[in-house]
Amino acid sequence: MGKTIFQCCARNSIARLIASAVVGTTLLFAAPGISHAGKITVYTSYEEDELAAFLDAMNKDLPDVEVDVLRLSTGDLRARMLAEADNPKHDVIWGWAATSMVDPRIMEMLEPYSPEGIDKVPARFRDKDGYWFATTGYMGAFCVNNEEMAKDNLAMPSSWQDLIKPEYKGKLVMPNPASSGTGYLHVASILQMMGEEKGWAYLDELDKNMDQYIKSGSKPCNAASAGENAIGISFALRAIKNIDEGYPITMVIPSEGAGHELEANALMKTSQNKEDAKKFLDWTVSKSAEAEYNKWKSIVTMQGRDMPEKFKKAGLPDDISTVLFEVDYAWAAENRDRIIAEWQKRYEK
């Protein structure tokens, strides 16, 4: 996706600031690498709609902190930060893939910081040395069209193993991991949970039942919702939204555990305004931030989350950790290029 600049401050509404994105771009790059008291620059990969909601809540809680936000997709943001490594232009990373955050070249740019309230975030969702922590994330799930399954008298799948049954031949659609973070989290989690030899053998079998691979993580669920495919391998939040909108689908979380990606936050050691950068990071684990995350995210890592009713109705448990496969983020990051190259060699037609 193309970049979008949001600027948040006490004097303006979010809607007005989104409308003045060009002005925001000028402000962001007018003085690269320089921050002043009360102003910080934040890089993020949150989606535009959720980002606007999060910034609106932050603006109410931190009216004296002005925030310039650059939003790019995960891969584009990674490329930008590496290109700027000798002269970083931001103070904070917010809502960015943990599997990218653990890149040693990125880690070298970070300064450990434990925000006020970090104890609410379990250790599995933060770096052991305090370089990053994740407050949100997204998880894999299957979107299964009830009508298509009934039409062909097919049983509802409950696991990855079910998806390689011969009766599902031509019924599946999945994101391409070379273009989709959701696609990669599925492949990486399968290879981790099964081991690489058995994992690739499984993916060979899964490929036999696949109708198509597509670029987007959400489109497989949309295709299943529309009846174009019986089963879309996608992510939970899209399933929840589509169920809430009345589509005839069931969300299935694979019994082996759902692969997932964390959206992590960190402090840049080159920040020129660490006082306000730390205020911002403190806010990201606040009750106010958590309340807003709850409206948008399938994974909110703070303990004691009050799971939204529509999420529970769609099938998420109150304790999301009980259905997540424990991903090794560093392994997923270190092996990404190799895994994608092997996947493309095997399955791209």
Side-chain angles (χ1 to χ4, degrees):
M1 297 182 70
K3 68 182 180 183
T4 302
I5 304 294
F6 295 81
Q7 185 192 25
C8 178
C9 58
R11 300 182 301 277
N12 298 296
S13 69
I14 292 294
R16 180 179 171 190
L17 290 165
I18 293 173
S20 59
V22 174
V23 175
T25 305
T26 303
L27 289 170
L28 184 59
F29 297 111
I34 299 175
S35 292
H36 302 287
K39 181 176 180 179
I40 60 172
T41 297
V42 175
Y43 283 5
T44 187
S45 289
Y46 278 133
E47 295 296 329
E48 286 94 335
D49 51 359
E50 61 194 23
L51 176 58
F54 298 162
L55 286 174
D56 194 26
M58 187 281 300
N59 182 54
K60 294 170 184 174
D61 293 339
L62 300 178
D64 297 327
V65 178
E66 184 179 344
V67 180
D68 283 336
V69 179
L70 172 65
R71 189 272 166 194
L72 292 171
S73 66
T74 297
D76 288 345
L77 197 53
R78 178 174 177 268
R80 185 185 186 92
M81 283 191 278
L82 292 175
E84 295 175 350
D86 292 335
N87 182 27
K89 296 175 172 60
H90 58 298
D91 301 275
V92 168
I93 306 172
W94 180 37
W96 192 50
T99 52
S100 291
M101 192 79 83
V102 297
D103 184 319
R105 296 169 294 176
I106 300 295
M107 293 285 281
E108 179 62 27
M109 303 180 202
L110 309 181
E111 178 177 309
Y113 179 62
S114 296
E116 184 178 345
I118 192 61
D119 289 346
K120 294 182 294 185
V121 178
R124 68 182 291 193
F125 300 125
R126 45 191 164 106
D127 177 64
K128 63 182 177 62
D129 296 316
Y131 281 91
W132 59 265
F133 61 95
T135 49
T136 62
Y138 56 94
M139 58 183 283
F142 309 153
C143 297
V144 185
N145 187 294
N146 304 322
E147 295 174 353
E148 291 298 308
M149 299 294 280
K151 183 172 67 177
D152 294 328
N153 198 29
L154 296 173
M156 183 69 62
S158 64
S159 66
W160 282 108
Q161 287 299 325
D162 283 345
L163 295 191
I164 61 174
K165 292 178 178 178
E167 56 263 38
Y168 293 142
K169 185 174 179 63
K171 303 291 185 183
L172 309 183
V173 60
M174 176 179 173
N176 184 325
S179 58
S180 164
T182 301
Y184 182 67
L185 76 83
H186 285 303
V187 171
S189 63
I190 286 168
L191 295 177
Q192 287 186 46
M193 69 175 64
M194 299 182 186
E196 288 208 48
E197 183 177 350
K198 291 182 178 178
W200 284 115
Y202 170 83
L203 290 169
D204 288 344
E205 293 302 308
L206 187 69
D207 181 64
K208 294 176 183 177
N209 283 352
M210 199 65 58
D211 178 49
Q212 61 176 324
Y213 298 101
I214 50 183
K215 290 185 176 181
S216 163
S218 60
K219 283 185 178 179
C221 190
N222 291 340
S225 298
E228 297 169 13
N229 296 93
I231 303 171
I233 300 171
S234 187
F235 61 93
L237 191 61
R238 175 53 56 188
I240 291 165
K241 286 183 175 180
N242 287 10
I243 290 169
D244 190 53
E245 291 173 9
Y247 287 96
I249 61 169
T250 294
M251 179 177 72
V252 173
I253 300 171
S255 59
E256 298 94 338
H260 65 281
E261 178 66 271
L262 295 180
E263 294 163 318
N265 313 328
L267 174 67
M268 296 296 293
K269 67 183 177 184
T270 52
S271 170
Q272 299 299 303
N273 184 5
K274 288 182 182 173
E275 180 181 353
D276 287 315
K278 290 176 179 179
K279 285 181 183 178
F280 179 87
L281 288 168
D282 289 347
W283 178 84
T284 67
V285 295
S286 69
K287 274 290 184 186
S288 175
E290 181 184 0
E292 203 59 45
Y293 298 151
N294 273 338
K295 300 174 186 176
W296 294 90
K297 310 303 296 188
S298 56
I299 298 176
V300 177
T301 64
M302 281 86 104
Q303 292 171 318
R305 177 188 190 185
D306 184 16
M307 185 68 70
E309 191 58 38
K310 71 176 182 180
F311 286 26
K312 290 193 287 187
K313 185 178 178 182
L316 282 190
D318 284 311
D319 183 359
I320 202 75
S321 67
T322 62
V323 296
L324 297 180
F325 174 75
E326 195 157 347
V327 174
D328 183 336
Y329 309 113
W331 184 91
E334 290 165 9
N335 292 281
R336 183 185 187 96
D337 291 345
R338 176 180 65 83
I339 288 169
I340 288 175
E342 179 66 20
W343 188 94
Q344 289 176 311
K345 183 176 74 173
R346 287 173 180 253
Y347 311 122
E348 280 198 341
K349 305 297 191 289

